């Protein structure tokens, strides 16, 4: 019950990308019956910046079929938020590269609480719950209150299997249906996801 204290966590939010008004019941309908997700108390925003590779995911509509998915985080000083560039290859490792920009709003800077808000569209802010973050800021897990979406991410394209399983176990303890988690393929021979234009 103390994972949150020992492991502040970070996650990404392409899961916020549900078409406006679509699957409204799935997004929030059942969350009132579920306990609140346990999130990290605080984390260092600058250290959280960088490229986060999606290792495991319960995907949003926009992420299905994504290969080489990576969330690129950078601090947007003008708008006081994290600029997110979610990139992936569609349907294959060499598929057309797609980019989906988003904004991620922290509770403060340079330190933030784990309850962030993701904005995939103007005037839309959806929960981004940082459930786990390791001390080196190299691995994290992000959740969604209704348990419809989940992201297990790493600063590298692979994650230690024991750590990955520990995150999955935590997700299960937090009432996630872990049978829905998929592992997106990543190209290991190249450093970044470049697809056919």
């Amino acid at each position: 019950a103390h994972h949150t204290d020992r492991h502040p966590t970070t996650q990404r939010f392409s899961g916020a990308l549900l078409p406006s008004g679509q699957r409204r019941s799935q997004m929030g309908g059942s969350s009132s019956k579920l306990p609140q997700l346990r999130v990290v108390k605080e984390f260092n925003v600058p250290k959280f910046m960088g490229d986060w590779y999606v290792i495991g995911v319960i995907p949003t509509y926009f992420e299905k079929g994504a290969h080489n998915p990576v969330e690129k985080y950078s601090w947007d000083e003008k708008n006081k938020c994290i600029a997110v560039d979610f990139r992936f290859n569609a349907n294959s490792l060499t598929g057309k590269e797609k980019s989906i920009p988003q904004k991620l709003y922290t509770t403060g800077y340079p330190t933030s609480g784990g309850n962030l808000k993701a904005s995939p569209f103007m005037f839309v802010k959806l929960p981004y719950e940082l459930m786990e973050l390791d001390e080196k800021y190299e691995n994290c897990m992000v959740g969604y209150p209704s348990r419809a979406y989940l992201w297990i991410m790493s600063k590298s394209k692979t994650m230690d299997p024991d750590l990955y399983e520990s995150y999955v176990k935590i997700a299960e303890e937090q009432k996630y249906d872990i049978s829905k988690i998929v592992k997106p393929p990543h190209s290991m021979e190249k450093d970044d996801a470049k697809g056919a234009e």
Side-chain angles (χ1 to χ4, degrees):
H2 301 292
H3 286 290
T4 302
D5 299 332
R6 287 187 289 113
H7 305 287
T9 73
T10 63
Q11 209 231 12
R12 42 149 252 154
F13 198 79
S14 297
L17 295 174
L18 213 63
S20 181
Q22 186 176 344
R23 292 189 171 85
R24 184 67 58 190
S25 61
Q26 180 191 9
M27 290 176 68
S30 63
S31 59
S32 61
K33 301 173 187 175
L34 292 164
Q36 289 186 343
L37 287 172
R38 189 179 65 236
V39 300
V40 298
K41 288 185 176 179
E42 62 179 33
F43 68 99
N44 181 284
V45 178
K47 284 180 68 176
F48 191 53
M49 299 302 94
D51 293 356
W52 286 98
Y53 296 93
V54 182
I55 307 299
V57 63
I58 299 178
T60 63
Y61 172 82
F62 294 92
E63 295 173 282
K64 290 181 178 176
H67 288 56
N68 296 315
V70 60
E71 294 203 3
K72 297 172 178 283
Y73 291 169
S74 59
W75 181 251
D76 180 346
E77 179 61 30
K78 179 181 177 183
N79 294 302
K80 304 296 182 186
C81 67
I82 298 171
V84 180
D85 181 14
F86 176 52
R87 292 178 175 267
F88 63 93
N89 295 92
N91 302 313
S92 77
L93 291 171
T94 56
K96 181 179 176 67
E97 186 181 58
K98 295 190 176 184
S99 174
I100 302 175
Q102 301 171 70
K103 290 183 173 68
L104 194 54
Y105 293 92
T106 62
T107 64
Y109 187 91
T111 300
S112 173
N115 298 105
L116 289 78
K117 296 290 184 184
S119 180
F121 315 106
M122 193 175 292
F123 307 123
V124 174
K125 288 186 180 179
L126 300 171
Y128 174 110
E129 310 273 288
L130 187 54
M131 296 169 64
E132 292 293 321
L133 176 63
D134 66 5
E135 293 179 2
K136 293 183 178 180
Y137 285 70
E138 292 176 351
N139 303 281
C140 74
M141 180 165 65
V142 178
Y144 194 79
S146 71
R147 278 51 166 193
Y149 316 110
L150 181 75
W151 297 269
I152 297 174
M153 300 188 291
S154 176
K155 289 281 181 76
S156 61
K157 293 181 179 181
T158 59
M159 182 183 285
D160 177 79
D162 291 338
L163 178 62
Y164 179 84
E165 288 305 321
S166 74
Y167 279 3
V168 170
K169 187 173 187 292
I170 291 167
E172 186 173 35
E173 290 169 352
Q174 294 290 299
K175 308 301 182 185
Y176 265 98
D177 179 356
I178 60 172
S179 69
K180 294 180 179 178
I181 300 174
V182 296
K183 287 184 165 185
H186 285 276
S187 299
M188 293 302 169
E189 69 276 7
K190 41 191 177 182
D191 292 328
D192 53 15
K194 287 268 191 206
E197 295 299 324

